[in-house]
Amino acid sequence: MRYGPDPNAIYPNEQIKSLCYIKNVVTRPNIIVGDYTYYDDIDGAEKFEEHVTHHYEFIGDKLIIGKFCAIAKGIEFVMNGANHRMSSVTTYPFNIMGNGWEKSAPTLADLPLKGDTVIGNDVWIGQNVTVMPGVHIGDGAIIAANSVVVKDVPPYHIAGGNPCKVIRKRFDDELIEYLLSIKWWDWPAQKIFENLDALCSGDLTRIKEIIDIG
């Protein structure tokens, strides 16, 4: 018996080619994406990597995205390669212009590197969002459309704006703690399938009634 779409398919629903599972279209080893996370873009969802900019292997930073995330059209993940040296008189990148200017090349220690960009599980990112280098977005968070995310967003919080700021919690602390403890996104496909009603219910107490089936 099938318990949902194939996580290894490019298009989970062959009738909707604007939506693809990102894990199955990325080629860069420094982009790591979990099962069932999708990008939705009528102009080419399979071109997700084009929305991860300034991402150079020699810098070593990674984009890590968890499972079951929903990412809308217009996303841009700006990685650490976009950073310029700020400790000198000028920020201008003479070295990349060549023709003798390459002698001014900065070392990695000269650059304001922010580390990996990490998106948790079950995160919903609205249209035309920009995520800056080194940001961590927690499990279950929601990012409003047209936001520029420059700071970390806690799990199960709604955030938006430019710069992006936390608007409110999605649930009370007790439920947030419970959801983080059960990690439903790590359940086997059968358990998720058999508990879809609870996962999708407006009655938030139903999630605590689920019987562990393995």
Side-chain angles (χ1 to χ4, degrees):
M1 180 176 177
R2 183 172 236 175
Y3 296 108
D6 180 359
N8 297 309
I10 292 178
Y11 305 107
N13 185 338
E14 287 291 336
Q15 306 302 313
I16 307 176
K17 291 296 180 71
S18 65
L19 186 154
C20 79
Y21 281 157
I22 299 171
K23 182 193 74 171
N24 305 317
V25 297
V26 295
T27 61
R28 300 182 206 167
N30 48 359
I31 300 177
I32 301 167
V33 184
D35 288 345
Y36 303 104
T37 284
Y38 72 82
Y39 177 53
D40 186 1
D41 189 342
I42 196 170
D43 295 323
E46 68 280 357
K47 300 176 183 177
F48 173 81
E49 283 182 317
E50 295 181 4
H51 300 271
V52 184
T53 63
H54 308 284
H55 201 194
Y56 310 121
E57 287 191 20
F58 71 89
I59 291 179
D61 58 337
K62 295 180 175 64
L63 171 60
I64 302 170
I65 305 175
K67 302 176 183 177
F68 291 97
C69 294
I71 302 177
K73 179 179 179 179
I75 186 69
E76 182 174 6
F77 291 99
V78 181
M79 303 302 288
N80 283 283
N83 285 315
H84 291 208
R85 178 169 43 197
M86 295 193 295
S87 58
S88 54
V89 171
T90 179
T91 61
Y92 190 84
F94 287 96
N95 60 295
I96 67 173
M97 307 304 168
N99 297 286
W101 281 0
E102 59 272 10
K103 69 177 184 178
S104 72
T107 66
L108 290 181
D110 294 328
L111 299 174
L113 303 180
K114 305 292 186 180
D116 296 337
T117 298
V118 181
I119 312 302
N121 304 279
D122 191 23
V123 173
W124 173 23
I125 300 178
Q127 288 190 357
N128 303 315
V129 167
T130 299
V131 180
M132 299 303 287
V135 164
H136 288 209
I137 299 176
D139 297 326
I142 298 173
I143 309 299
N146 303 307
S147 297
V148 178
V149 189
V150 298
K151 293 183 179 180
D152 294 353
V153 177
Y156 290 99
H157 282 61
I158 300 171
N162 181 9
C164 190
K165 297 181 180 179
V166 170
I167 298 170
R168 63 177 176 85
K169 296 177 183 178
R170 290 183 59 195
F171 312 122
D172 62 37
D173 289 341
E174 181 183 356
L175 182 55
I176 290 174
E177 183 177 352
Y178 179 76
L179 293 172
L180 292 173
S181 71
I182 65 170
K183 300 181 187 297
W184 70 262
W185 43 83
D186 287 336
W187 292 350
Q190 180 182 351
K191 184 172 181 178
I192 291 174
F193 178 83
E194 294 180 354
N195 290 286
L196 285 176
D197 287 347
L199 288 169
C200 299
S201 174
D203 180 358
L204 301 178
T205 63
R206 291 188 61 185
I207 192 68
K208 295 184 178 181
E209 299 170 0
I210 292 175
I211 298 173
D212 191 356
I213 61 171

PDB file of all heavy atoms in Angstrom, residues 81-114:
ATOM      1  N   GLY A  81      29.162  34.123   0.066  1.00  0.00           N
ATOM      2  CA  GLY A  81      29.987  34.670  -1.010  1.00  0.00           C
ATOM      3  C   GLY A  81      29.608  36.070  -1.420  1.00  0.00           C
ATOM      4  O   GLY A  81      30.351  36.747  -2.143  1.00  0.00           O
ATOM      5  N   ALA A  82      28.456  36.556  -0.959  1.00  0.00           N
ATOM      6  CA  ALA A  82      28.033  37.922  -1.272  1.00  0.00           C
ATOM      7  C   ALA A  82      28.720  38.960  -0.393  1.00  0.00           C
ATOM      8  O   ALA A  82      28.658  40.161  -0.675  1.00  0.00           O
ATOM      9  CB  ALA A  82      26.519  38.048  -1.104  1.00  0.00           C
ATOM     10  N   ASN A  83      29.371  38.515   0.674  1.00  0.00           N
ATOM     11  CA  ASN A  83      29.971  39.448   1.625  1.00  0.00           C
ATOM     12  C   ASN A  83      31.234  40.089   1.082  1.00  0.00           C
ATOM     13  O   ASN A  83      32.017  39.453   0.371  1.00  0.00           O
ATOM     14  CB  ASN A  83      30.287  38.730   2.944  1.00  0.00           C
ATOM     15  CG  ASN A  83      29.048  38.457   3.762  1.00  0.00           C
ATOM     16  OD1 ASN A  83      28.203  39.331   3.911  1.00  0.00           O
ATOM     17  ND2 ASN A  83      28.924  37.252   4.289  1.00  0.00           N
ATOM     18  N   HIS A  84      31.430  41.357   1.399  1.00  0.00           N
ATOM     19  CA  HIS A  84      32.627  42.097   1.036  1.00  0.00           C
ATOM     20  C   HIS A  84      33.453  42.388   2.290  1.00  0.00           C
ATOM     21  O   HIS A  84      32.923  42.430   3.401  1.00  0.00           O
ATOM     22  CB  HIS A  84      32.258  43.431   0.380  1.00  0.00           C
ATOM     23  CG  HIS A  84      31.630  43.288  -0.968  1.00  0.00           C
ATOM     24  ND1 HIS A  84      31.721  44.257  -1.947  1.00  0.00           N
ATOM     25  CD2 HIS A  84      30.884  42.298  -1.528  1.00  0.00           C
ATOM     26  CE1 HIS A  84      31.072  43.882  -3.025  1.00  0.00           C
ATOM     27  NE2 HIS A  84      30.542  42.687  -2.790  1.00  0.00           N
ATOM     28  N   ARG A  85      34.726  42.604   2.092  1.00  0.00           N
ATOM     29  CA  ARG A  85      35.603  42.985   3.204  1.00  0.00           C
ATOM     30  C   ARG A  85      35.159  44.346   3.740  1.00  0.00           C
ATOM     31  O   ARG A  85      35.021  45.306   2.991  1.00  0.00           O
ATOM     32  CB  ARG A  85      37.043  43.042   2.693  1.00  0.00           C
ATOM     33  CG  ARG A  85      38.069  43.456   3.706  1.00  0.00           C
ATOM     34  CD  ARG A  85      39.480  43.217   3.173  1.00  0.00           C
ATOM     35  NE  ARG A  85      39.623  43.623   1.779  1.00  0.00           N
ATOM     36  CZ  ARG A  85      40.627  43.226   0.992  1.00  0.00           C
ATOM     37  NH1 ARG A  85      41.545  42.386   1.451  1.00  0.00           N
ATOM     38  NH2 ARG A  85      40.705  43.647  -0.241  1.00  0.00           N
ATOM     39  N   MET A  86      34.918  44.428   5.049  1.00  0.00           N
ATOM     40  CA  MET A  86      34.440  45.681   5.640  1.00  0.00           C
ATOM     41  C   MET A  86      35.455  46.327   6.571  1.00  0.00           C
ATOM     42  O   MET A  86      35.243  47.439   7.042  1.00  0.00           O
ATOM     43  CB  MET A  86      33.137  45.427   6.420  1.00  0.00           C
ATOM     44  CG  MET A  86      31.979  44.984   5.534  1.00  0.00           C
ATOM     45  SD  MET A  86      30.368  45.044   6.351  1.00  0.00           S
ATOM     46  CE  MET A  86      30.586  43.807   7.636  1.00  0.00           C
ATOM     47  N   SER A  87      36.573  45.632   6.831  1.00  0.00           N
ATOM     48  CA  SER A  87      37.559  46.172   7.768  1.00  0.00           C
ATOM     49  C   SER A  87      38.580  47.080   7.093  1.00  0.00           C
ATOM     50  O   SER A  87      39.453  47.635   7.761  1.00  0.00           O
ATOM     51  CB  SER A  87      38.294  45.013   8.455  1.00  0.00           C
ATOM     52  OG  SER A  87      38.927  44.183   7.491  1.00  0.00           O
ATOM     53  N   SER A  88      38.477  47.246   5.778  1.00  0.00           N
ATOM     54  CA  SER A  88      39.405  48.097   5.036  1.00  0.00           C
ATOM     55  C   SER A  88      38.718  49.410   4.652  1.00  0.00           C
ATOM     56  O   SER A  88      37.513  49.581   4.862  1.00  0.00           O
ATOM     57  CB  SER A  88      39.901  47.378   3.782  1.00  0.00           C
ATOM     58  OG  SER A  88      38.808  46.931   3.000  1.00  0.00           O
ATOM     59  N   VAL A  89      39.482  50.316   4.081  1.00  0.00           N
ATOM     60  CA  VAL A  89      38.951  51.630   3.713  1.00  0.00           C
ATOM     61  C   VAL A  89      37.787  51.497   2.741  1.00  0.00           C
ATOM     62  O   VAL A  89      36.758  52.165   2.874  1.00  0.00           O
ATOM     63  CB  VAL A  89      40.060  52.513   3.091  1.00  0.00           C
ATOM     64  CG1 VAL A  89      39.471  53.792   2.506  1.00  0.00           C
ATOM     65  CG2 VAL A  89      41.115  52.839   4.143  1.00  0.00           C
ATOM     66  N   THR A  90      37.921  50.593   1.746  1.00  0.00           N
ATOM     67  CA  THR A  90      36.870  50.413   0.753  1.00  0.00           C
ATOM     68  C   THR A  90      36.336  48.984   0.793  1.00  0.00           C
ATOM     69  O   THR A  90      37.056  48.042   1.139  1.00  0.00           O
ATOM     70  CB  THR A  90      37.373  50.713  -0.668  1.00  0.00           C
ATOM     71  OG1 THR A  90      36.306  50.487  -1.610  1.00  0.00           O
ATOM     72  CG2 THR A  90      38.548  49.830  -1.045  1.00  0.00           C
ATOM     73  N   THR A  91      35.066  48.825   0.465  1.00  0.00           N
ATOM     74  CA  THR A  91      34.463  47.499   0.354  1.00  0.00           C
ATOM     75  C   THR A  91      34.515  46.986  -1.079  1.00  0.00           C
ATOM     76  O   THR A  91      34.090  45.855  -1.342  1.00  0.00           O
ATOM     77  CB  THR A  91      32.988  47.540   0.808  1.00  0.00           C
ATOM     78  OG1 THR A  91      32.261  48.438  -0.056  1.00  0.00           O
ATOM     79  CG2 THR A  91      32.870  47.987   2.251  1.00  0.00           C
ATOM     80  N   TYR A  92      35.027  47.754  -2.007  1.00  0.00           N
ATOM     81  CA  TYR A  92      35.017  47.378  -3.426  1.00  0.00           C
ATOM     82  C   TYR A  92      35.861  46.123  -3.658  1.00  0.00           C
ATOM     83  O   TYR A  92      37.014  46.047  -3.214  1.00  0.00           O
ATOM     84  CB  TYR A  92      35.561  48.523  -4.281  1.00  0.00           C
ATOM     85  CG  TYR A  92      35.354  48.313  -5.762  1.00  0.00           C
ATOM     86  CD1 TYR A  92      34.143  48.650  -6.356  1.00  0.00           C
ATOM     87  CD2 TYR A  92      36.354  47.760  -6.563  1.00  0.00           C
ATOM     88  CE1 TYR A  92      33.940  48.451  -7.710  1.00  0.00           C
ATOM     89  CE2 TYR A  92      36.158  47.548  -7.913  1.00  0.00           C
ATOM     90  CZ  TYR A  92      34.947  47.894  -8.485  1.00  0.00           C
ATOM     91  OH  TYR A  92      34.744  47.688  -9.829  1.00  0.00           O
ATOM     92  N   PRO A  93      35.332  45.117  -4.392  1.00  0.00           N
ATOM     93  CA  PRO A  93      36.054  43.861  -4.614  1.00  0.00           C
ATOM     94  C   PRO A  93      36.992  43.944  -5.819  1.00  0.00           C
ATOM     95  O   PRO A  93      36.756  43.327  -6.859  1.00  0.00           O
ATOM     96  CB  PRO A  93      34.922  42.858  -4.840  1.00  0.00           C
ATOM     97  CG  PRO A  93      33.865  43.664  -5.528  1.00  0.00           C
ATOM     98  CD  PRO A  93      33.938  45.040  -4.917  1.00  0.00           C
ATOM     99  N   PHE A  94      38.081  44.700  -5.687  1.00  0.00           N
ATOM    100  CA  PHE A  94      39.024  44.869  -6.788  1.00  0.00           C
ATOM    101  C   PHE A  94      39.461  43.532  -7.377  1.00  0.00           C
ATOM    102  O   PHE A  94      39.612  43.381  -8.596  1.00  0.00           O
ATOM    103  CB  PHE A  94      40.270  45.621  -6.300  1.00  0.00           C
ATOM    104  CG  PHE A  94      40.054  47.081  -6.048  1.00  0.00           C
ATOM    105  CD1 PHE A  94      39.769  47.550  -4.772  1.00  0.00           C
ATOM    106  CD2 PHE A  94      40.164  48.001  -7.078  1.00  0.00           C
ATOM    107  CE1 PHE A  94      39.572  48.896  -4.532  1.00  0.00           C
ATOM    108  CE2 PHE A  94      39.983  49.359  -6.856  1.00  0.00           C
ATOM    109  CZ  PHE A  94      39.684  49.809  -5.577  1.00  0.00           C
ATOM    110  N   ASN A  95      39.684  42.541  -6.520  1.00  0.00           N
ATOM    111  CA  ASN A  95      40.306  41.291  -6.951  1.00  0.00           C
ATOM    112  C   ASN A  95      39.516  40.547  -8.013  1.00  0.00           C
ATOM    113  O   ASN A  95      40.093  39.922  -8.899  1.00  0.00           O
ATOM    114  CB  ASN A  95      40.533  40.379  -5.749  1.00  0.00           C
ATOM    115  CG  ASN A  95      39.253  40.031  -5.026  1.00  0.00           C
ATOM    116  OD1 ASN A  95      38.600  40.911  -4.445  1.00  0.00           O
ATOM    117  ND2 ASN A  95      38.875  38.771  -5.030  1.00  0.00           N
ATOM    118  N   ILE A  96      38.178  40.619  -7.965  1.00  0.00           N
ATOM    119  CA  ILE A  96      37.402  39.825  -8.919  1.00  0.00           C
ATOM    120  C   ILE A  96      37.369  40.463 -10.303  1.00  0.00           C
ATOM    121  O   ILE A  96      36.933  39.837 -11.261  1.00  0.00           O
ATOM    122  CB  ILE A  96      35.962  39.568  -8.412  1.00  0.00           C
ATOM    123  CG1 ILE A  96      35.141  40.863  -8.350  1.00  0.00           C
ATOM    124  CG2 ILE A  96      35.983  38.870  -7.070  1.00  0.00           C
ATOM    125  CD1 ILE A  96      33.681  40.603  -8.009  1.00  0.00           C
ATOM    126  N   MET A  97      37.878  41.700 -10.424  1.00  0.00           N
ATOM    127  CA  MET A  97      37.927  42.356 -11.720  1.00  0.00           C
ATOM    128  C   MET A  97      39.160  41.951 -12.523  1.00  0.00           C
ATOM    129  O   MET A  97      39.231  42.156 -13.734  1.00  0.00           O
ATOM    130  CB  MET A  97      37.911  43.881 -11.548  1.00  0.00           C
ATOM    131  CG  MET A  97      36.758  44.393 -10.692  1.00  0.00           C
ATOM    132  SD  MET A  97      35.145  43.870 -11.333  1.00  0.00           S
ATOM    133  CE  MET A  97      34.091  44.287  -9.945  1.00  0.00           C
ATOM    134  N   GLY A  98      40.161  41.349 -11.859  1.00  0.00           N
ATOM    135  CA  GLY A  98      41.353  40.885 -12.551  1.00  0.00           C
ATOM    136  C   GLY A  98      42.221  42.022 -13.069  1.00  0.00           C
ATOM    137  O   GLY A  98      42.192  43.139 -12.563  1.00  0.00           O
ATOM    138  N   ASN A  99      42.998  41.712 -14.115  1.00  0.00           N
ATOM    139  CA  ASN A  99      43.850  42.695 -14.772  1.00  0.00           C
ATOM    140  C   ASN A  99      44.827  43.366 -13.806  1.00  0.00           C
ATOM    141  O   ASN A  99      45.094  44.562 -13.889  1.00  0.00           O
ATOM    142  CB  ASN A  99      42.994  43.758 -15.487  1.00  0.00           C
ATOM    143  CG  ASN A  99      42.156  43.175 -16.601  1.00  0.00           C
ATOM    144  OD1 ASN A  99      42.680  42.831 -17.666  1.00  0.00           O
ATOM    145  ND2 ASN A  99      40.856  43.012 -16.362  1.00  0.00           N
ATOM    146  N   GLY A 100      45.367  42.580 -12.904  1.00  0.00           N
ATOM    147  CA  GLY A 100      46.325  43.082 -11.941  1.00  0.00           C
ATOM    148  C   GLY A 100      45.724  43.394 -10.589  1.00  0.00           C
ATOM    149  O   GLY A 100      46.446  43.427  -9.585  1.00  0.00           O
ATOM    150  N   TRP A 101      44.428  43.616 -10.548  1.00  0.00           N
ATOM    151  CA  TRP A 101      43.778  43.941  -9.275  1.00  0.00           C
ATOM    152  C   TRP A 101      43.633  42.723  -8.363  1.00  0.00           C
ATOM    153  O   TRP A 101      43.318  42.855  -7.184  1.00  0.00           O
ATOM    154  CB  TRP A 101      42.405  44.550  -9.530  1.00  0.00           C
ATOM    155  CG  TRP A 101      42.445  45.993  -9.927  1.00  0.00           C
ATOM    156  CD1 TRP A 101      43.549  46.775 -10.076  1.00  0.00           C
ATOM    157  CD2 TRP A 101      41.313  46.813 -10.214  1.00  0.00           C
ATOM    158  NE1 TRP A 101      43.190  48.041 -10.456  1.00  0.00           N
ATOM    159  CE2 TRP A 101      41.802  48.103 -10.544  1.00  0.00           C
ATOM    160  CE3 TRP A 101      39.940  46.601 -10.251  1.00  0.00           C
ATOM    161  CZ2 TRP A 101      40.981  49.164 -10.886  1.00  0.00           C
ATOM    162  CZ3 TRP A 101      39.099  47.652 -10.591  1.00  0.00           C
ATOM    163  CH2 TRP A 101      39.625  48.925 -10.896  1.00  0.00           C
ATOM    164  N   GLU A 102      43.839  41.528  -8.918  1.00  0.00           N
ATOM    165  CA  GLU A 102      43.670  40.322  -8.105  1.00  0.00           C
ATOM    166  C   GLU A 102      44.641  40.260  -6.930  1.00  0.00           C
ATOM    167  O   GLU A 102      44.453  39.484  -5.996  1.00  0.00           O
ATOM    168  CB  GLU A 102      43.816  39.058  -8.961  1.00  0.00           C
ATOM    169  CG  GLU A 102      45.138  38.912  -9.668  1.00  0.00           C
ATOM    170  CD  GLU A 102      45.148  39.594 -11.033  1.00  0.00           C
ATOM    171  OE1 GLU A 102      44.194  40.334 -11.355  1.00  0.00           O
ATOM    172  OE2 GLU A 102      46.126  39.389 -11.762  1.00  0.00           O
ATOM    173  N   LYS A 103      45.668  41.095  -6.956  1.00  0.00           N
ATOM    174  CA  LYS A 103      46.619  41.103  -5.839  1.00  0.00           C
ATOM    175  C   LYS A 103      45.959  41.560  -4.533  1.00  0.00           C
ATOM    176  O   LYS A 103      46.510  41.361  -3.456  1.00  0.00           O
ATOM    177  CB  LYS A 103      47.805  42.015  -6.158  1.00  0.00           C
ATOM    178  CG  LYS A 103      47.480  43.509  -6.199  1.00  0.00           C
ATOM    179  CD  LYS A 103      48.715  44.347  -6.450  1.00  0.00           C
ATOM    180  CE  LYS A 103      48.405  45.847  -6.399  1.00  0.00           C
ATOM    181  NZ  LYS A 103      49.612  46.666  -6.594  1.00  0.00           N
ATOM    182  N   SER A 104      44.772  42.162  -4.634  1.00  0.00           N
ATOM    183  CA  SER A 104      44.086  42.648  -3.429  1.00  0.00           C
ATOM    184  C   SER A 104      43.118  41.626  -2.845  1.00  0.00           C
ATOM    185  O   SER A 104      42.298  41.962  -2.005  1.00  0.00           O
ATOM    186  CB  SER A 104      43.310  43.933  -3.751  1.00  0.00           C
ATOM    187  OG  SER A 104      42.169  43.633  -4.554  1.00  0.00           O
ATOM    188  N   ALA A 105      43.198  40.375  -3.315  1.00  0.00           N
ATOM    189  CA  ALA A 105      42.235  39.357  -2.880  1.00  0.00           C
ATOM    190  C   ALA A 105      42.223  39.214  -1.360  1.00  0.00           C
ATOM    191  O   ALA A 105      43.281  39.042  -0.741  1.00  0.00           O
ATOM    192  CB  ALA A 105      42.565  38.021  -3.521  1.00  0.00           C
ATOM    193  N   PRO A 106      41.049  39.253  -0.745  1.00  0.00           N
ATOM    194  CA  PRO A 106      40.975  39.067   0.713  1.00  0.00           C
ATOM    195  C   PRO A 106      41.112  37.599   1.080  1.00  0.00           C
ATOM    196  O   PRO A 106      40.849  36.708   0.271  1.00  0.00           O
ATOM    197  CB  PRO A 106      39.571  39.577   1.050  1.00  0.00           C
ATOM    198  CG  PRO A 106      38.773  39.283  -0.185  1.00  0.00           C
ATOM    199  CD  PRO A 106      39.727  39.502  -1.339  1.00  0.00           C
ATOM    200  N   THR A 107      41.505  37.341   2.285  1.00  0.00           N
ATOM    201  CA  THR A 107      41.463  35.986   2.807  1.00  0.00           C
ATOM    202  C   THR A 107      40.069  35.756   3.404  1.00  0.00           C
ATOM    203  O   THR A 107      39.319  36.718   3.665  1.00  0.00           O
ATOM    204  CB  THR A 107      42.519  35.772   3.899  1.00  0.00           C
ATOM    205  OG1 THR A 107      42.187  36.595   5.036  1.00  0.00           O
ATOM    206  CG2 THR A 107      43.915  36.139   3.398  1.00  0.00           C
ATOM    207  N   LEU A 108      39.719  34.506   3.635  1.00  0.00           N
ATOM    208  CA  LEU A 108      38.422  34.222   4.254  1.00  0.00           C
ATOM    209  C   LEU A 108      38.308  34.884   5.617  1.00  0.00           C
ATOM    210  O   LEU A 108      37.217  35.283   6.037  1.00  0.00           O
ATOM    211  CB  LEU A 108      38.216  32.715   4.374  1.00  0.00           C
ATOM    212  CG  LEU A 108      37.987  31.954   3.062  1.00  0.00           C
ATOM    213  CD1 LEU A 108      37.776  30.477   3.348  1.00  0.00           C
ATOM    214  CD2 LEU A 108      36.812  32.520   2.281  1.00  0.00           C
ATOM    215  N   ALA A 109      39.443  35.026   6.299  1.00  0.00           N
ATOM    216  CA  ALA A 109      39.424  35.663   7.622  1.00  0.00           C
ATOM    217  C   ALA A 109      39.059  37.139   7.536  1.00  0.00           C
ATOM    218  O   ALA A 109      38.608  37.732   8.524  1.00  0.00           O
ATOM    219  CB  ALA A 109      40.783  35.499   8.299  1.00  0.00           C
ATOM    220  N   ASP A 110      39.244  37.737   6.351  1.00  0.00           N
ATOM    221  CA  ASP A 110      38.922  39.157   6.177  1.00  0.00           C
ATOM    222  C   ASP A 110      37.426  39.393   5.965  1.00  0.00           C
ATOM    223  O   ASP A 110      36.952  40.529   6.066  1.00  0.00           O
ATOM    224  CB  ASP A 110      39.671  39.739   4.962  1.00  0.00           C
ATOM    225  CG  ASP A 110      41.172  39.775   5.153  1.00  0.00           C
ATOM    226  OD1 ASP A 110      41.613  39.957   6.299  1.00  0.00           O
ATOM    227  OD2 ASP A 110      41.897  39.609   4.147  1.00  0.00           O
ATOM    228  N   LEU A 111      36.700  38.339   5.631  1.00  0.00           N
ATOM    229  CA  LEU A 111      35.292  38.482   5.251  1.00  0.00           C
ATOM    230  C   LEU A 111      34.374  38.227   6.450  1.00  0.00           C
ATOM    231  O   LEU A 111      34.667  37.379   7.294  1.00  0.00           O
ATOM    232  CB  LEU A 111      34.952  37.509   4.123  1.00  0.00           C
ATOM    233  CG  LEU A 111      35.748  37.691   2.825  1.00  0.00           C
ATOM    234  CD1 LEU A 111      35.428  36.571   1.844  1.00  0.00           C
ATOM    235  CD2 LEU A 111      35.453  39.057   2.198  1.00  0.00           C
ATOM    236  N   PRO A 112      33.252  38.936   6.503  1.00  0.00           N
ATOM    237  CA  PRO A 112      32.298  38.751   7.607  1.00  0.00           C
ATOM    238  C   PRO A 112      31.404  37.529   7.377  1.00  0.00           C
ATOM    239  O   PRO A 112      30.208  37.645   7.113  1.00  0.00           O
ATOM    240  CB  PRO A 112      31.488  40.046   7.585  1.00  0.00           C
ATOM    241  CG  PRO A 112      31.507  40.464   6.146  1.00  0.00           C
ATOM    242  CD  PRO A 112      32.853  40.044   5.605  1.00  0.00           C
ATOM    243  N   LEU A 113      31.978  36.334   7.448  1.00  0.00           N
ATOM    244  CA  LEU A 113      31.237  35.109   7.169  1.00  0.00           C
ATOM    245  C   LEU A 113      30.294  34.777   8.320  1.00  0.00           C
ATOM    246  O   LEU A 113      30.651  34.895   9.487  1.00  0.00           O
ATOM    247  CB  LEU A 113      32.207  33.954   6.917  1.00  0.00           C
ATOM    248  CG  LEU A 113      33.207  34.182   5.774  1.00  0.00           C
ATOM    249  CD1 LEU A 113      34.114  32.968   5.623  1.00  0.00           C
ATOM    250  CD2 LEU A 113      32.490  34.495   4.472  1.00  0.00           C
ATOM    251  N   LYS A 114      29.104  34.338   7.979  1.00  0.00           N
ATOM    252  CA  LYS A 114      28.050  34.103   8.967  1.00  0.00           C
ATOM    253  C   LYS A 114      27.746  32.630   9.207  1.00  0.00           C
ATOM    254  O   LYS A 114      26.852  32.302   9.981  1.00  0.00           O
ATOM    255  CB  LYS A 114      26.755  34.797   8.508  1.00  0.00           C
ATOM    256  CG  LYS A 114      26.899  36.281   8.224  1.00  0.00           C
ATOM    257  CD  LYS A 114      27.175  37.071   9.477  1.00  0.00           C
ATOM    258  CE  LYS A 114      27.169  38.580   9.194  1.00  0.00           C
ATOM    259  NZ  LYS A 114      27.433  39.371  10.403  1.00  0.00           N
TER     260      LYS A 114
END
